[in-house]
Amino acid sequence: MDDRPYFRPAALDAILADATRLGFAMSCEDRTGSLLATLAASKPGGHLVELGTGVGAGASWLLHGMRPDARLTTVEMDPEHQAVAAGHLGNDTRVSFVTANADAWLDSYAGPPLALAYVDCRPGKFHRLDDLIGLLEPGGLYVVDDLLPQPTWPSDHQTRVDNFLAHLPERSNLLGTSATWASGVLVGTRI
């Protein structure tokens, strides 16, 4: 079976070219992106968040799947990376770009419950998971990737991933499925 996506966001190639130019090697890969687009499409009218914009690859996939009445807030602490994402995706009125540390964003968020959270950074995944789950609406989706070893990982990162996966079953308000597919993904839902 060929599991490569049969669609790609229009801005993705330019985003990935800018990622290469900047030496940014942590963009979500196409199979994960395709899953994000599919899950985003299941949340019409929903408020979605991406923690860890990077240069915008994940955001482009989320926007590709989102309905016209859905909204995306994407949070990135590196202004240079966020500027690349905003440069390619900023004309889409469904997206808001926040340049901030994800911890600070979690501390200050006062908007509607989230329909979907895609986490591509440490806060909301390796720490502050309970805070993020608390922001999800019942049935809200929680998505993380990069759970399989990556060449860009620091030497101590495998321990963080192992602890994250080991403690997920302890959460009574999250039902999730992890898969050794793409870069390693987990899709969960708030119950």
Side-chain angles (χ1 to χ4, degrees), residues 82-101:
Q82 187 72 295
V84 171
H88 290 287
L89 305 171
N91 289 333
D92 191 321
T93 60
R94 299 171 299 163
V95 63
S96 299
F97 297 92
V98 176
T99 305
N101 179 288

Side-chain angles (χ1 to χ4, degrees), residues 9-98:
L12 185 61
D13 288 335
I15 289 169
L16 295 177
D18 280 347
T20 300
R21 179 182 54 78
L22 290 172
F24 183 82
M26 298 185 295
S27 295
C28 82
E29 60 99 46
D30 285 358
R31 291 176 297 167
T32 300
S34 177
L35 177 64
L36 289 173
T38 301
L39 295 175
S42 77
K43 298 297 181 182
H47 189 140
L48 290 67
V49 69
E50 174 186 38
L51 298 181
T53 311
V55 295
S60 72
W61 284 103
L62 288 163
L63 289 164
H64 187 78
M66 285 169 45
R67 305 288 177 90
D69 58 348
R71 298 292 172 259
L72 171 64
T73 300
T74 185
V75 181
E76 172 59 44
M77 67 181 185
D78 185 310
E80 182 180 20
H81 294 159
Q82 187 72 295
V84 171
H88 290 287
L89 305 171
N91 289 333
D92 191 321
T93 60
R94 299 171 299 163
V95 63
S96 299
F97 297 92
V98 176

Side-chain angles (χ1 to χ4, degrees), residues 117-133 136 142-148 153 156-171 174-179 183-189:
Y118 169 50
V119 183
D120 201 11
C121 63
R122 291 180 186 178
K125 186 189 305 186
F126 302 129
H127 66 276
R128 311 260 336 244
L129 175 57
D130 290 329
D131 293 335
L132 182 58
I133 294 171
L136 290 171
Y142 172 76
V143 184
V144 299
D145 67 346
D146 299 332
L147 298 175
L148 293 174
W153 282 7
D156 62 343
H157 193 67
Q158 186 65 55
T159 302
R160 277 190 281 277
V161 171
D162 293 343
N163 287 334
F164 169 75
L165 293 171
H167 293 290
L168 274 175
E170 298 168 4
R171 290 180 165 73
L174 183 71
L175 179 63
T177 300
S178 57
S183 65
V185 297
L186 176 125
V187 177
T189 189

